[in-house]
Amino acid sequence: MLVVTARGTPRQEDRGEQVQAAEREAARQRILAQAEAKRIPAEETTRAVPDRRWRRGQQ
């Protein structure tokens, strides 16, 4: 939130909070971009097939 003083300038504390919020958002975007780059699309994965050999003796 930006609070403007009587002279029309933002207070230093509010400006610092804005800078920190912008830095947090930039870091969040970088992390999301890295995660997306490492993600393996579902189409490229192999489906697990259950091993039913153990059931042969039970039939």
Side-chain angles (χ1 to χ4, degrees):
M1 182 171 110
L2 180 63
V3 176
V4 179
T5 62
R7 293 185 300 178
T9 58
R11 292 193 324 217
Q12 185 63 33
E13 300 87 30
D14 295 327
R15 178 70 181 136
E17 290 173 5
Q18 287 179 337
V19 169
Q20 287 180 350
E23 289 173 350
R24 280 193 303 273
E25 181 60 24
R28 179 179 165 276
Q29 293 297 326
R30 281 193 304 272
I31 291 169
L32 289 173
Q34 288 173 352
E36 182 64 24
K38 291 180 180 179
R39 186 181 72 85
I40 299 172
E43 301 83 37
E44 295 179 14
T45 61
T46 57
R47 196 180 76 128
V49 178
D51 185 3
R52 297 192 176 147
R53 288 179 288 181
W54 63 272
R55 292 186 180 178
R56 288 184 187 152
Q58 298 175 358
Q59 292 177 344

